[in-house]
Amino acid sequence: MTVQELPGAAAYRPTPPPAWKPLTDPAPLLPDPEPYRVLGTDAVADADPELLLRLYAELVRGRRYNAQATALTKQGRLAVYPSSTGQEACEIAAALVLEERDWLFPSYRDTLAAVARGLDPVEALTLLRGDRHTGYDPRTHRIAPLCTPLATQLPHAVGLAHAARLKGDDVVALAMVGDGGTSEGDFHEALNFAAVWKAPVVFLVQNNGFAISVPLAKQTAAPSLAHKAVGYGMPGRLVDGNDAAAVHQVLSEAVARARSGGGPTLVEAVTYRMDAHTNADDATRYRGDSEVEAWRDHDPVQLMERELTGRGLLDDEGVEEARAAAERMAAALRERMNADPELDPMDLFTHVYAEQTAQLREQAARLRQELAAENDQHGTEDGGTAR
Amino acid sequence: MTTAAVTAGERTAKAKPATMAQALGRALRDSMAEDPTVHVLGEDVGTLGGVFRITDGLAKEFGDERCTDTPLAEAGILGAAVGMAMYGLRPVVEMQFDAFAYPAFEQLISHVAKMRNRTGGAMPLPITVRVPYGGGIGGVEHHSDSSEAYYMATPGLHVVTPATVEDAYGLLRASIASDDPVVFLEPKRLYWSKADWSPEHPTAVEPIGRAVVRRPGRSATLITYGPSLPVCMEAAQAAVEEGWDLEVVDLRSLVPFDDETVAASVRRTGRAVVVHESTGFGGPGGEIAARITEQCFHHLEAPVLRVAGFDIPYPPPMQERHHLPGVDRVLDAVARLQWEADN
Ligand SMILES: Cc1ncc(C[n+]2csc(CCOP(=O)(O)OP(=O)(O)O)c2C)c(N)n1
């Protein structure tokens, strides 16, 4: 017998707890159900033709960069390359929406964003070539080191943006992460901190369908990754990640919002990874050709090219010009990457601490001795020529 | 179930060359076939078969509820494994690379390692955490850490690492059968090392915690494990020319530590060098050297030496050869032992 069935007992009607009321109306935070698009829609009428042409040129260069870097892995010049072919619109928009004083927090796939922001292509590749972990000074370029452990750079972006605001600087941090990375605890903690602190951060999720072999459906049960924003109290925005104009616009709005004190935004760009996870991965194990083919028609470079030629902003000559510029970039990259980097093994000990410890000095001396002995040996073997 | 549940088959089937990766996969398969409570979970372990293909075919054979592609979240994976083990399953977790296990440290240290103790023995956690570790494969940043010292420093965890194809099978079977949590470190540069080995009639599974003498000798003992075993075997071979007869001990298990085998060897030879690629300061070698000194002091003719990686973050692939202890560094140490002994 339940309590309610006791003779004479009044039905119990719970009332809401006295202190409870929703903090925010979630409706304005919710993403639109369809990814936002500009190219091929009425919205394109408002787009600045110069911006479109700039995006196009960068897309063509970016595509060529990915192809060149992939080729360099085949020649053994890079240890590994995680290509962003198919995702160039996200990479480039991320780089171009930022002011010089802003910061970019890339993940390991975002070499292209770093290059589009102006980083020397060779400096951007040292991690993947294997000579230096980070071949540039993050402070000079305001690009954090390309981050290999997933989502761990996101709290850094929040902290940096927060610090900038505490100092009174109107700096925005844009942090990039993959769809897989959104499952990590660091992703959740970063979003929560950012929202609570109203930190000037933009989170850009490149949803390219897979985390290595794992499809999005096994990664999340959320209606979309952009929906995750609502639970933290920030707006979620869904955008066509292959439409450079759309990504640029959505990110610009998010950056402007952050800069004006409006707090963080989570942007999910829906895109597709055309190549394998890296050159070491066999994508045929987890996806079919037909799926990849279906995305070819929605290629970011083609989308922009069709739009621009259709509107008479670009002709064959313009296309040729963009390709030639990309070819020159690739040739220069190839040439510079074909030279062996000059490495000093003693650097291994130089940047462990601000001041080398006695212990490290001792170990460095030991290595120096070993190398000298090696050199002597080679010297004798080579008939006395020093190496 | 206790350890050592598997017996040796008759060695009738022909042994064929097999890789350590294949032996590990076979151990998972056999454990799952024998015990329906064994579940494999991790990133990319299903359709892809893991980035090193260790779990290849398991999802097909046992279904994706026994071999599960999880969301990309190490703390979640290991935390979920804790709950699964609390409810009677035997989870085998794959961490994709050494440095990507770090998000799971809270679960590992605060829960996996301590649950038996916290519950007064009422709730042991039979979890195996497989971690590919170490360098030498040209991996970029965060793909080559040797994290064994962190694990060793945590009471409640077994820490095991095979160096041969046979041991890869035997130790993994024993780890999965163990009622205690095991951090199973897989030396990734030995994944493709081969030996004649018959998967149909695999090696007997010894209880974990026993070291083995891989090469008998009289001049000095090299104490090593995992990725550094082949280096020490090669050094021992090369040392013959110098007139040294080196004994090589493969620890196989760092926790529990086989004091008996190690001490017996050092008492015979009177000299010892500990060799590993993990950093030396605060590394496993310090603990091992201290134990040897405590137990064999009166037999020692020289101080126990360590040959280890430098005390630096793991270098970029183009520089890793300078960091990893090779044959020459081992022989140098042996030479120093002789010098100490003669003077
Ligand atoms: C903490 C952590 N766990 C595992 C890995 C290994 N790993 C590298 S990339 C990757 C998949 C990432 O997928 P996603 O976040 O979707 O980014 P994408 O590769 O699609 O750009 C994994 C599991 C890692 N780098 N960091």
Side-chain angles (χ1 to χ4, degrees):
Chain A
M1 196 161 54
T2 65
V3 177
Q4 277 83 352
E5 286 169 293
L6 282 174
Y12 172 65
R13 291 273 174 281
T15 51
W20 191 84
K21 63 178 176 48
L23 284 174
T24 341
D25 173 9
L29 304 180
L30 280 166
D32 288 336
E34 283 296 313
Y36 178 69
R37 293 171 53 213
V38 168
L39 300 180
T41 71
D42 294 342
V44 81
D46 298 331
D48 170 12
E50 263 189 48
L51 173 68
L52 295 184
L53 283 165
R54 166 115 199 264
L55 288 170
Y56 172 69
E58 290 291 341
L59 285 170
V60 173
R61 263 162 49 95
R63 173 64 48 88
R64 188 67 189 87
Y65 184 92
N66 277 327
Q68 185 57 61
T70 303
L72 286 165
T73 61
K74 297 195 179 115
Q75 294 151 23
R77 282 293 173 186
L78 287 181
V80 65
Y81 186 71
S83 157
S84 58
T85 291
Q87 305 178 216
E88 291 93 341
C90 305
E91 298 281 311
I92 279 146
L96 296 196
V97 291
L98 296 180
E99 301 285 338
E100 209 176 308
R101 63 187 180 285
D102 297 331
W103 274 72
L104 181 72
F105 283 78
S107 96
Y108 71 100
R109 195 181 293 288
D110 304 318
T111 321
L112 194 55
V115 172
R117 184 161 164 75
L119 186 61
D120 179 316
V122 172
E123 286 181 1
L125 281 176
T126 55
L127 167 72
L128 302 166
R129 173 158 71 176
D131 54 335
R132 284 182 178 75
H133 292 315
T134 302
Y136 56 91
D137 177 353
R139 278 222 192 81
T140 316
H141 304 275
R142 283 163 296 277
I143 303 173
L146 293 166
C147 191
T148 310
L150 297 167
T152 49
Q153 79 279 22
L154 306 181
H156 308 167
V158 176
L160 181 135
H162 179 62
R165 212 166 54 126
L166 293 181
K167 275 190 161 184
D169 300 335
D170 69 339
V171 163
V172 173
L174 189 154
M176 303 171 79
V177 66
D179 42 295
T182 65
S183 295
E184 290 283 1
D186 277 1
F187 172 83
H188 300 278
E189 297 183 23
L191 262 67
N192 194 45
F193 264 69
V196 169
W197 283 355
K198 268 185 170 267
V201 184
V202 177
F203 299 99
L204 170 60
V205 179
Q206 293 181 74
N207 169 8
N208 65 7
F210 288 90
I212 309 190
S213 69
V214 179
L216 189 69
K218 283 193 182 180
Q219 199 65 248
T220 182
S224 79
L225 296 172
H227 274 83
K228 296 197 174 212
V230 183
Y232 299 103
M234 72 174 79
R237 294 289 173 253
L238 197 53
V239 62
D240 181 340
N242 286 21
D243 178 336
V247 187
H248 190 276
Q249 188 184 326
V250 169
L251 287 180
S252 297
E253 285 163 13
V255 167
R257 185 168 176 274
R259 206 180 305 282
S260 65
T265 305
L266 174 66
V267 177
E268 173 186 358
V270 181
T271 182
Y272 196 78
R273 158 160 69 68
M274 297 305 286
D275 292 341
H277 167 65
T278 69
N279 54 299
D281 169 45
D282 174 11
T284 61
R285 280 187 164 242
Y286 53 83
R287 68 184 192 187
D289 284 348
S290 59
E291 180 182 321
V292 184
E293 276 314 307
W295 278 88
R296 282 209 198 283
D297 220 30
H298 200 64
D299 179 88
V301 186
Q302 293 305 317
L303 282 183
M304 186 61 88
E305 199 168 295
R306 282 204 292 265
E307 181 73 50
L308 290 173
T309 45
R311 297 175 69 206
L313 291 168
L314 184 73
D315 54 13
D316 289 352
E317 206 178 317
V319 171
E320 211 29 66
E321 227 169 81
R323 290 196 187 148
E327 225 29 76
R328 284 193 297 277
M329 176 278 303
L333 178 60
R334 216 165 35 235
E335 189 180 314
R336 290 179 63 205
M337 289 296 290
N338 270 330
D340 285 329
E342 275 183 33
L343 297 176
D344 181 357
M346 290 308 133
D347 282 349
L348 292 180
F349 304 96
T350 320
H351 303 295
V352 183
Y353 301 102
E355 241 178 81
Q356 213 168 63
T357 59
Q359 192 177 307
L360 285 185
R361 274 199 299 277
E362 197 185 294
Q363 293 177 15
R366 202 179 312 153
L367 178 61
R368 198 176 292 115
Q369 249 177 19
E370 282 180 17
L371 293 169
E374 225 177 80
N375 256 342
D376 283 352
Q377 213 178 1
H378 285 306
T380 348
E381 280 166 16
D382 299 349
T385 19
R387 286 246 252 194
Chain B
M1 197 197 274
T2 52
T3 53
V6 188
T7 49
E10 296 146 63
R11 289 188 155 268
T12 46
K14 265 219 186 103
K16 286 186 303 239
T19 63
M20 180 180 283
Q22 287 166 331
L24 291 166
R26 182 71 194 202
L28 290 170
R29 192 208 154 267
D30 290 354
S31 298
M32 291 174 87
E34 225 163 70
D35 179 353
T37 68
V38 175
H39 284 240
V40 168
L41 60 158
E43 294 157 9
D44 301 289
V45 295
T47 315
L48 190 69
V51 293
F52 293 108
R53 305 286 185 264
I54 308 294
T55 57
D56 201 7
L58 296 180
K60 215 174 229 167
E61 185 171 349
F62 299 101
D64 60 8
E65 288 189 345
R66 299 265 324 265
C67 178
T68 310
D69 276 336
T70 62
L72 211 170
E74 293 75 11
I77 296 168
L78 192 51
V82 170
M84 289 165 76
M86 288 169 83
Y87 206 72
L89 299 183
R90 252 171 216 277
V92 183
V93 158
E94 175 172 304
M95 294 289 159
Q96 202 157 75
F97 275 92
D98 31 52
F100 305 142
Y102 301 148
F105 263 39
E106 164 67 7
Q107 291 296 336
L108 188 74
I109 276 104
S110 298
H111 298 291
V112 175
K114 291 183 181 149
M115 192 66 87
R116 177 187 287 278
N117 189 261
R118 288 168 70 210
T119 60
M123 187 158 272
L125 293 181
I127 298 174
T128 304
V129 186
R130 296 181 34 242
V131 189
Y133 81 121
I137 64 159
V140 298
E141 223 184 352
H142 308 293
H143 288 78
S144 301
D145 286 16
S146 295
S147 22
E148 57 265 38
Y150 307 138
Y151 301 119
M152 286 171 71
T154 305
L157 301 176
H158 288 316
V159 185
V160 165
T161 177
T164 67
V165 174
E166 293 207 339
D167 273 5
Y169 180 86
L171 287 175
L172 185 50
R173 293 293 315 264
S175 300
I176 296 171
S178 164
D179 283 336
D180 276 316
V182 180
V183 176
F184 190 88
L185 297 168
E186 301 178 0
K188 63 174 99 76
R189 69 165 139 142
L190 299 184
Y191 270 151
W192 303 279
S193 64
K194 281 190 178 172
D196 287 343
W197 180 73
S198 162
E200 302 315 319
H201 295 284
T203 338
V205 179
E206 288 187 55
I208 55 183
R210 301 298 299 176
V212 62
V213 175
R214 295 281 178 208
R215 182 191 193 283
R218 279 165 302 134
S219 313
T221 304
L222 302 179
I223 295 144
T224 190
Y225 56 86
S228 294
L229 177 67
V231 176
C232 288
M233 293 301 279
E234 203 186 323
Q237 195 57 43
V240 173
E241 273 180 41
E242 315 271 343
W244 302 327
D245 179 22
L246 301 180
E247 180 146 313
V248 179
V249 173
D250 173 5
L251 293 173
R252 306 201 283 193
S253 167
L254 297 168
V255 182
F257 188 83
D258 184 356
D259 286 303
E260 210 180 302
T261 304
V262 171
S265 171
V266 176
R267 284 187 189 130
R268 274 196 300 277
T269 62
R271 299 178 177 91
V273 182
V274 189
V275 183
H276 58 63
E277 71 178 57
S278 139
T279 52
F281 190 83
E287 176 62 34
I288 298 168
R291 301 181 86 79
I292 293 173
T293 309
E294 283 166 6
Q295 289 164 31
C296 313
F297 185 71
H298 296 292
H299 300 263
L300 284 173
E301 292 172 43
V304 183
L305 297 184
R306 285 168 293 167
V307 177
F310 292 126
D311 299 321
I312 59 174
Y314 197 87
M318 283 186 178
Q319 300 266 36
E320 69 181 343
R321 70 194 167 90
H322 300 306
H323 171 71
L324 292 173
V327 170
D328 286 348
R329 248 173 236 170
V330 176
L331 292 177
D332 269 4
V334 174
R336 271 186 285 145
L337 281 181
Q338 300 291 315
W339 188 88
E340 302 282 359
D342 295 344
N343 286 265

